[in-house]
Amino acid sequence: MPLPPLIGHLAARKRLSQAIRRGKLPQVLLLTGPAGVGKQRLALWLAQLAMCEEPSDEPCGGCRACRLVAGLGHPDVHWYVPIPRPKAGDPDKQVDEAGQCIAQVMNERRDQPLYPAVDGMSTHSLASVRLLQREAALTAVEGGRRVFILGEADRLIAQEASQEAANALLKLLEEPPAGSLFVLTTVEPRRLLATMRSRAVPVRLSRLSDAEVSGFLKAQVKPTLSSRDLEQRVARAEGSIGMALWNGDDAGKAQQAAEQWLDAVLAGHGPAFERALKQPAWGARGEFTAMLDAVAETLAEAARGSVGQPVRRSVPRSLLRQDRTGSLMKALDYVADAREAAWGNVNPQILLAVLGEELAWVL
Ligand SMILES: [Zn+2]
């Protein structure tokens, strides 16, 4: 099954298609914006446009190249998604394992184009970076451009990916091979290595309108949603198709846990610490990382609100004061550090207790 159509983001699309037409498309792009608004879908749209045999402002959709990209089968479009850490001991075997795992994910997405959110523990490990390096060193199969999409690029583990791998990736981004295009995506550019961020031209995507989300759900979700279900999903989505599609219970639970924890943090050091210790033993690590992500999103939303931008998710009122922006940014840095540590072998309760202390100081 081909990918569902790209919804919205008309200004970004126009800007990108003009850049292609003028031969001015930067070779390294960073698409940023809230989770589930279609950053990776836009990257694939751009791959289609770059490959299309009869391009105009939009990919034609009908030519061989367009159809191959839409079916996730173009040999020169490489889509790197976060995957579970490879288990093989030998580094070369790890690279093979990463390649097989990514191929498997692509198969699943071909079968189910409305795919679920990536598990919180999946990352771009050293093996994925080596795979990217290996593929980038080859020439184009079809003789044209090559596109490398690095989805959720902030999941590149800096610590684990060793200096060598980080440097290899940076070198690729600094001097991309001729005819290649790198598109990185992230919810939060501040979570990216600064050196990576500085090499990419940013394109910011905003939340979609409720009408766009609703139109997408009506056209794509089978069986058709009842009007009550549709309404609830659109309200919950906050302008994100992904949020509308992903398991509402899980997202809601993570958001609720994040809100409770932030309330405790805002009440001071004692309550924050108590709350961390009371935290039930986390059965699945995914729940813990989902909560940290929800904390980061709430703080980022508060930071936007504190500089006068509209706020679309529930944020503790005390965080919205104007003088809060600096401390919110500092808090986001702490959460990003904790998020990275959570991928390693750290006790979640201790991590949460330390993070609570840090946040209670800055907020
Ligand atoms: Zn085409």
Side-chain angles (χ1 to χ4, degrees):
M1 275 199 284
L3 294 170
L6 171 63
I7 303 295
H9 309 308
L10 296 179
R13 281 151 89 162
K14 193 167 173 198
R15 219 174 112 198
L16 292 167
S17 69
Q18 277 174 350
I20 289 188
R21 226 183 2 255
R22 293 180 188 147
K24 294 247 162 77
L25 186 69
Q27 272 190 281
V28 186
L29 288 167
L30 174 61
L31 305 183
T32 69
V37 296
K39 296 182 293 297
Q40 296 181 72
R41 182 64 188 85
L42 181 68
L44 289 162
W45 172 92
L46 185 61
Q48 227 177 4
L49 190 62
M51 305 287 186
C52 181
E53 290 153 26
E54 291 178 51
S56 59
D57 285 348
E58 296 277 321
C60 80
C63 73
R64 181 168 172 275
C66 277
R67 280 183 285 123
L68 282 174
V69 178
L72 302 182
H74 198 293
D76 294 317
V77 177
H78 302 274
W79 186 9
Y80 291 84
V81 291
I83 51 170
R85 193 175 306 211
K87 293 185 182 69
D90 176 70
D92 283 336
K93 290 214 176 86
Q94 283 184 0
V95 178
D96 296 339
E97 197 183 321
Q100 286 156 9
C101 187
I102 288 172
Q104 171 67 28
V105 174
M106 292 301 126
N107 274 332
E108 288 165 10
R109 292 190 181 183
R110 257 175 236 125
D111 288 346
Q112 196 197 341
L114 302 183
Y115 57 85
V118 169
D119 166 70
M121 287 303 285
S122 292
T123 59
H124 297 292
S125 65
L126 175 54
S128 291
V129 175
R130 290 223 171 101
L131 181 68
L132 171 63
Q133 237 185 315
R134 197 193 268 180
E135 280 173 343
L138 304 174
T139 50
V141 177
E142 302 271 315
R145 280 184 202 252
R146 282 181 315 150
V147 181
F148 298 90
I149 299 167
L150 191 64
E152 303 190 46
D154 48 278
R155 294 199 191 208
L156 178 81
I157 313 181
Q159 293 158 351
E160 190 216 320
S162 80
Q163 208 52 39
E164 176 206 355
N167 285 345
L169 183 61
L170 290 174
K171 195 158 184 300
L172 269 179
L173 299 181
E174 198 165 46
E175 295 171 47
S180 65
L181 168 65
F182 287 80
V183 187
L184 282 51
T185 77
T186 184
V187 167
E188 181 49 73
R190 285 165 58 92
R191 285 191 217 158
L192 234 58
L193 297 178
T195 39
M196 264 167 87
R197 204 168 55 214
S198 69
R199 283 162 171 80
V201 175
V203 177
R204 167 127 194 118
L205 305 186
S206 328
R207 293 181 186 276
L208 301 167
S209 68
D210 285 352
E212 285 169 331
V213 175
S214 170
F216 180 91
L217 294 178
K218 273 189 208 153
Q220 301 293 330
V221 175
K222 302 281 177 304
T224 313
L225 298 167
S226 72
S227 56
R228 185 161 171 271
D229 198 7
L230 181 73
E231 208 172 283
Q232 279 179 345
R233 287 221 205 184
V234 171
R236 191 185 74 214
E238 300 173 335
S240 154
I241 285 174
M243 290 304 285
L245 292 175
W246 298 334
N247 190 328
D249 288 352
D250 285 357
K253 248 182 2 201
Q255 179 63 22
Q256 205 181 10
E259 277 170 20
Q260 285 174 358
W261 184 72
L262 273 172
D263 282 345
V265 166
L266 291 169
H269 294 273
F273 192 64
E274 263 174 52
R275 182 75 177 79
L277 294 184
K278 266 193 224 150
Q279 203 66 48
W282 298 89
R285 255 183 125 70
E287 269 178 43
F288 177 58
T289 53
M291 183 197 116
L292 287 181
D293 286 343
V295 167
E297 278 157 30
T298 303
L299 293 173
E301 194 70 15
R304 279 191 282 278
S306 72
V307 292
Q309 290 185 26
V311 171
R312 292 193 57 177
R313 68 189 291 153
S314 80
V315 170
R317 281 189 94 77
S318 63
L319 292 180
L320 288 172
R321 292 205 320 264
Q322 271 178 358
D323 57 352
R324 287 280 190 182
T325 314
S327 45
L328 284 165
M329 289 311 200
K330 189 76 206 146
L332 269 171
D333 281 344
Y334 284 131
V335 178
D337 289 346
R339 185 67 180 81
E340 186 159 334
W343 278 315
N345 204 9
V346 183
N347 177 332
Q349 285 184 344
I350 294 176
L351 198 60
L352 205 56
V354 173
L355 181 62
E357 276 290 290
E358 290 168 338
L359 261 49
W361 275 115
V362 295
L363 290 178

